């Protein structure tokens, strides 16, 4: 099977490339600015803002499955509109699509969110991700949308790098004690996404870890795992900061977990294992 990974140069994309190749799939990946360090069968430059380019890549590669793990942050043209262009192109070719979304589509007012919860974003990024979800499922009802949370693993995630820098005193800032998420390990997430693709599951799915922890608690777990001095990690409140966003968002992944072989471990479990 040929698998096309949109955003293969990113953290999650690289792990998907590794696992897809290990499973024997022909694996092709795209990049926005430059190829990553992983080794797919081929790299293609791709601008999700360009419908012609999107269609041309899919037509040339002819994948059976497309996994979209690209990140355009709050850029509406990339994050909201780009995935819909991709979904339309995939639908025309009869190609399976799995799109990765985010817990940022929720405000945090409800705290606990399962797959039936309606998005109510409060940030531009969350609004863009929510718009992409709606557009994708409107033009390609057979697609799967997989919401996830903070992605951790192998010491290379943004959060892990921040923890190391804060512990070393080479970065200013704080880890919020009131900002709660359900972190997931990148290896678990990639395996679950490939399972969803193979299972031909459609609609909305949640792929987050089983533990709800604050960013500070997660930082302490990472520090203890990596032999750092956790007491050096500064704390703060997001509610008092200049960083707007939801505070307590806990994705309930139990419904999706029941159809997976892959276990979505919680942070307290995967952070006890050395990277």
């Amino acid at each position: 099977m040929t698998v096309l990974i949109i955003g293969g140069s990113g953290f999650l994309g690289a792990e998907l490339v590794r696992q897809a190749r290990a499973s024997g799939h022909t694996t092709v990946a795209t990049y926005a600015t430059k190829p990553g360090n992983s080794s797919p069968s081929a790299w293609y430059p791709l601008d999700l803002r360009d419908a012609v380019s999107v269609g041309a890549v899919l037509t040339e590669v002819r994948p059976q499955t497309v996994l979209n793990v690209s990140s355009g942050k709050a850029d509406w043209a990339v994050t909201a509109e780009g995935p819909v262009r991709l979904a339309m192109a995939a639908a025309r070719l009869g190609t399976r699509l799995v799109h990765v979304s985010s817990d940022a589509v929720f405000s945090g007012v409800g705290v606990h969110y399962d797959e039936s919860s309606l998005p109510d974003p409060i940030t531009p990024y969350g609004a863009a991700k929510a718009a992409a979800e709606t557009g994708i499922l409107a033009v390609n009802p057979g697609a799967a949308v997989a919401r996830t949370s903070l992605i951790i693993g192998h010491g290379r995630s943004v959060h892990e790098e921040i923890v190391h820098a804060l512990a070393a005193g080479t970065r200013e800032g704080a880890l919020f004690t009131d900002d709660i998420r359900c972190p997931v390990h990148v290896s678990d997430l990639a395996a679950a996404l490939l399972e969803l693709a193979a299972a031909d599951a459609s609609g909305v799915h949640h792929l987050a870890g089983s533990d709800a922890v604050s960013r500070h608690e997660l930082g302490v777990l990472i520090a203890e795992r990596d032999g750092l001095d956790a007491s050096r990690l500064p704390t703060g409140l997001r509610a008092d900061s200049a960083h707007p966003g939801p505070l307590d968002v806990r994705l309930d992944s139990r419904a999706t977990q029941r159809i997976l072989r892959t276990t979505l471990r919680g942070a307290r479990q995967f952070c006890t294992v050395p990277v």
Side-chain angles (χ1 to χ4, degrees):
M1 180 172 73
T2 299
V3 176
L4 175 61
I5 299 169
I6 309 296
S9 58
F11 178 51
L12 174 57
E15 179 66 14
L16 277 168
V17 169
R18 185 189 71 79
Q19 290 195 25
R21 290 198 64 185
S23 297
H25 301 305
T26 299
T27 307
V28 179
T30 74
Y31 62 91
T33 54
K34 63 179 181 179
N37 296 322
S38 57
S39 301
S41 302
W43 283 105
Y44 283 80
L46 180 64
D47 184 347
L48 285 175
R49 297 170 296 182
D50 183 351
V52 173
S53 176
V54 170
V57 169
L58 264 66
T59 299
E60 182 171 344
V61 175
R62 288 283 173 174
Q64 282 72 50
T65 299
V66 176
L67 293 117
N68 180 30
V69 297
S70 61
S71 175
K73 298 184 180 179
D75 186 325
W76 189 268
V78 176
T79 302
E81 298 173 356
V84 180
R85 295 186 188 95
L86 181 64
M88 293 173 68
R92 284 195 297 269
L93 295 172
T95 302
R96 173 88 175 119
L97 174 65
V98 178
H99 169 79
V100 175
S101 189
S102 167
D103 57 12
V105 301
F106 297 118
S107 68
V109 172
V111 180
H112 299 278
Y113 298 91
D114 64 16
E115 286 87 346
S116 67
S117 301
L118 296 177
D120 59 341
I122 58 174
T123 64
Y125 173 68
K129 295 298 279 188
E133 290 185 6
T134 301
I136 288 167
L137 295 176
V139 302
N140 191 339
V145 170
R147 296 180 184 134
T148 193
S149 190
L150 297 178
I151 306 174
I152 308 297
H154 308 314
R156 297 192 298 270
S157 69
V158 171
H159 196 82
E160 287 164 294
E161 291 175 353
I162 290 173
V163 168
H164 276 251
L166 288 172
T170 59
R171 177 190 177 105
E172 294 183 352
L175 297 177
F176 300 133
T177 57
D178 60 343
D179 187 335
I180 298 171
R181 298 293 186 274
C182 294
V184 64
H185 195 281
V186 66
S187 296
D188 298 347
L189 178 57
L193 288 168
L194 290 169
E195 269 199 73
L196 278 182
D200 204 31
S202 61
V204 176
H205 300 271
H206 284 183
L207 297 176
S210 54
D211 293 333
V213 296
S214 71
R215 289 182 186 260
H216 179 260
E217 184 179 356
L218 178 60
V220 170
L221 291 169
I222 291 168
E224 292 176 343
R225 180 199 66 190
D226 295 349
L228 306 176
D229 183 357
S231 69
R232 292 180 57 86
L233 299 176
T235 63
L237 294 175
R238 183 165 192 162
D240 295 337
S241 77
H243 302 283
L247 296 180
D248 195 341
V249 177
R250 310 184 191 199
L251 292 186
D252 183 345
S253 303
R254 289 175 295 179
T256 300
Q257 179 68 86
R258 285 194 287 270
I259 68 172
L260 298 175
R261 296 186 307 275
T262 301
T263 299
L264 299 167
R265 294 170 292 167
R268 296 185 185 95
Q269 181 180 0
F270 64 69
C271 280
T272 60
V273 181
V275 295

